[in-house]
Amino acid sequence: MAYVYEHWRPDKKVCFYVGKGSGGRAKLLWAAARNIHHCRIVYKLHRSGLQVEVRIVADGLSEEE
């Protein structure tokens, strides 16, 4: 089963990433599989004492959905 998730910036109140995953993928913010732009946003928020907000948009999906 898969899900669709969003990563939000609490400082600007905007979504900066939408992804598809399963298991704990949505919460892996520091993973090497993330691109440099994603990592820079996460790092900037971390330095400011903020955290990325993870929102699950749809859950229980097949890969095709």
Side-chain angles (χ1 to χ4, degrees):
M1 297 307 250
Y3 55 81
V4 176
Y5 63 94
E6 299 174 335
H7 286 171
W8 283 74
R9 291 185 64 153
D11 59 341
K12 297 187 177 186
K13 297 180 177 35
V14 296
C15 175
F16 71 94
Y17 184 82
V18 177
K20 170 188 82 155
S22 61
R25 172 70 177 159
K27 295 182 181 179
L28 290 176
L29 303 176
W30 299 99
R34 302 287 185 189
N35 69 48
I36 189 69
H37 303 292
H38 186 280
C39 291
R40 286 180 177 157
I41 292 170
V42 172
Y43 181 69
K44 181 178 181 178
L45 291 172
H46 180 73
R47 277 191 330 218
S48 299
L50 300 171
Q51 293 183 19
V52 172
E53 181 182 337
V54 178
R55 297 182 186 178
I56 304 298
V57 178
D59 197 7
L61 304 173
S62 68
E63 285 294 322
E64 294 79 29
E65 294 175 309

